[in-house]
């Protein structure tokens, strides 16, 4: 970006609003021109410098636990929301939206300032030059940070605590972005699915990885990440590098429900390699049956594969299974094990209605 400054006018008076501001400042004994007086610690802005893209796709990200990301040159674009802070000049310090033409308009400046294509540091310098050129501030101290950017975000969906769209101004890791989403829900599956965006694919193609017939697993358009293993082991090679425009989906694990006369009714997520439990395992996870359980008249309510809206009901004699006289039965995802109560207070319809509000527990690996 090139800009041509107007010739400075000698002996020119500053604009009328600045004269009034200067008079008020002198009356309060605070200097406006020149370097501002030191500010109190609590008044200093917290740096929000954007994280930036690595120069090479293989560049390693900083430790997510430290809250830092690798630095690079992020360039501002139309639609970005910028925070401009001019030290000791609150009249200019606020958020500014970059126009479709790439400019921001500051009060008291004759012309908008071009922001598109500049880094935050470069825009800070450009605003400072404009303030000096118009004679408003002799030594401006300007800080610019990016509050949000429509094209710089990662969408997180599925079984996380806070699904949503999170601003990202450079590369990050799957652990870092899922931590911002509050971590995994109890019913989260073992694998997350990453859909690569255009920026990531451009970087991967530039490195010669994505255009091959057999790209490396972490450089394909769709990548499956063993998220449970990654969270529990901290295996850095599996911590996939992400870029703005990528999407993460954490599918829900299969759930087996145990309701009725048990000590801990709920849903039990199948988070390990197994895709089913047995009746005895499910009862153990539910804290065993109560004293009033009717063991001879339990039921497995199973989704009907021929009718998505229908269910199969399978009668189970728990007394014979517990005594070893009958084989244990398997329970798959979506199955409900119902154990009635001899007091008559728990009936099947009521137990099924309560499933929507039961807690979900992880099955130990």
């Amino acid at each position: 970006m090139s800009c041509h400054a107007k010739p400075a006018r000698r002996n020119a008076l500053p604009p009328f609003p600045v004269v009034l501001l200067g008079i008020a400042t002198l009356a309060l004994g605070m200097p406006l021109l020149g370097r501002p007086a030191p500010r109190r610690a609590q008044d200093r802005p917290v740096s929000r410098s954007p994280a930036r893209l690595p120069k090479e796709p293989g560049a390693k990200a900083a430790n997510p636990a430290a809250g830092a990301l690798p630095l690079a040159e992020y360039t501002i674009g139309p639609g970005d929301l910028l925070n401009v802070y001019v030290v000791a000049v609150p009249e200019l310090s606020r958020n500014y939206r970059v126009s479709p033409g790439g400019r921001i308009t500051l009060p008291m400046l004759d012309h908008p300032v071009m922001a598109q294509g500049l880094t935050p540091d470069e825009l800070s310098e450009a605003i400072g030059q404009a303030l000096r050129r118009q004679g408003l501030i002799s030594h401006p101290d300007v800080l610019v940070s990016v509050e949000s950017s429509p094209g710089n975000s990662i969408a997180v969906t599925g079984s996380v605590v806070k699904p949503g769209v999170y601003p990202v101004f450079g590369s990050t890791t799957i652990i870092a972005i899922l931590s911002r989403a509050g971590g995994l829900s109890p019913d989260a599956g073992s694998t997350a699915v990453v859909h690569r965006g255009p920026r990531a694919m451009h970087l991967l193609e530039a490195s010669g990885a994505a255009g091959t017939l057999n790209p490396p697993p972490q450089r394909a358009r769709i990548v499956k990440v063993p998220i449970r293993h990654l969270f529990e082991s901290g295996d850095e090679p599996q911590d996939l590098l992400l870029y703005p425009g990528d999407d993460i989906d954490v599918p829900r694990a299969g759930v087996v429900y145990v309701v009725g006369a048990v000590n801990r009714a709920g849903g039990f997520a199948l988070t390990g390699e197994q895709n089913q439990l047995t009746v005895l395992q499910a009862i153990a996870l539910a804290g065993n049956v109560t004293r009033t359980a009717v063991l001879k008249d339990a039921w497995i309510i199973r989704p009907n594969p021929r009718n998505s809206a229908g269910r199969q009901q399978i009668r189970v004699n728990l007394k014979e299974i517990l005594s070893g006289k009958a084989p244990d039965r398997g329970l798959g995802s979506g199955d409900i094990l119902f154990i009635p109560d001899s007091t008559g207070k728990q009936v099947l319809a009521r137990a099924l209605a309560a499933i929507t509000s039961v807690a979900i527990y992880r099955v130990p690996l």
Side-chain angles (χ1 to χ4, degrees):
M1 182 192 71
S2 61
C3 59
H4 300 283
K6 295 181 180 179
R9 294 180 295 174
R10 299 178 182 272
N11 302 322
L13 292 175
F16 181 67
V18 179
V19 173
L20 294 179
L21 184 61
I23 295 173
T25 305
L26 291 175
L28 295 173
M30 297 173 59
L32 173 64
L33 302 181
R35 287 289 178 183
R39 296 172 60 82
R40 295 173 298 176
Q42 61 268 30
D43 294 333
R44 293 174 186 154
V46 178
S47 176
R48 293 183 298 276
S49 299
R52 303 166 179 180
L53 289 172
K55 295 181 180 179
E56 298 179 359
K60 187 176 181 180
N63 179 11
L69 294 170
L71 297 179
E73 294 299 315
Y74 171 76
T75 55
I76 297 167
D80 285 1
L81 182 65
L82 308 178
N83 180 267
V84 177
Y85 182 81
V86 184
V87 177
V89 187
E91 292 79 9
L92 299 176
S93 301
R94 66 182 71 169
N95 287 343
Y96 297 88
R97 179 76 66 179
V98 181
S99 71
R103 292 173 169 79
I104 60 172
T105 302
L106 279 74
M108 298 189 288
L109 287 182
D110 292 342
H111 302 286
V113 179
M114 175 59 74
Q116 182 175 353
L118 300 182
T119 66
D121 288 343
E122 290 170 343
L123 181 57
S124 298
E125 180 61 28
I127 294 173
Q129 290 177 2
L131 293 172
R132 285 193 297 270
R133 187 165 54 247
Q134 285 195 209
L136 297 177
I137 305 176
S138 59
H139 296 88
D141 194 352
V142 183
L143 302 175
V144 174
S145 61
V146 182
E147 294 292 316
S148 64
S149 176
N152 291 275
S153 60
I154 291 178
V156 182
T157 58
S159 294
V160 294
V161 176
K162 296 183 293 184
V165 179
Y166 292 87
V168 176
F169 301 108
S171 63
T172 184
T173 64
I174 193 167
I175 285 291
I177 200 69
L178 289 179
S179 297
R180 291 176 62 183
L184 302 177
S185 298
D187 63 346
S190 300
T191 303
V193 181
V194 175
H195 296 265
R196 292 296 198 182
R199 183 178 302 188
M201 294 308 298
H202 172 74
L203 290 172
L204 297 176
E205 288 172 1
S207 69
T212 62
L213 292 176
N214 297 299
Q218 294 195 353
R219 297 184 176 184
R221 185 175 296 277
I222 298 177
V223 186
K224 294 185 178 180
V225 182
I227 196 63
R228 283 287 181 191
H229 170 75
L230 182 57
F231 263 94
E232 293 170 6
S233 68
D235 188 3
E236 287 191 6
Q238 296 288 336
D239 198 1
L240 188 67
L241 200 63
L242 303 176
Y243 300 90
D246 289 350
D247 293 335
I248 305 172
D249 181 56
V250 182
R252 188 174 185 234
V255 178
V256 169
Y257 297 92
V258 183
V259 294
V262 292
N263 291 305
R264 188 175 69 161
F268 299 91
L270 306 175
T271 57
E273 294 297 328
Q274 77 275 18
N275 57 8
Q276 70 172 15
L277 295 173
T278 67
V279 167
L280 293 181
Q281 288 172 333
I283 291 175
L285 291 170
N288 212 341
V289 296
T290 64
R291 292 185 299 104
T292 57
V294 180
L295 299 180
K296 294 182 180 181
D297 200 21
W299 292 86
I300 296 174
I301 296 90
R302 176 167 294 165
N304 189 341
R306 297 181 180 179
N307 183 0
S308 59
R311 294 179 181 274
Q312 296 175 300
Q313 296 187 19
I314 305 169
R315 193 167 185 174
V316 179
N317 189 328
L318 289 182
K319 187 173 182 179
E320 290 188 353
I321 294 177
L322 289 169
S323 63
K325 295 180 179 179
D328 200 358
R329 302 187 69 114
L331 298 172
S333 177
D335 283 358
I336 303 166
L337 176 61
F338 168 67
I339 304 172
D341 193 313
S342 62
T343 61
K345 295 180 179 179
Q346 290 179 324
V347 295
L348 179 58
R350 188 178 303 159
L352 293 179
I355 286 178
T356 57
S357 60
V358 297
I360 303 294
Y361 304 98
R362 285 186 56 199
V363 174
L365 299 178

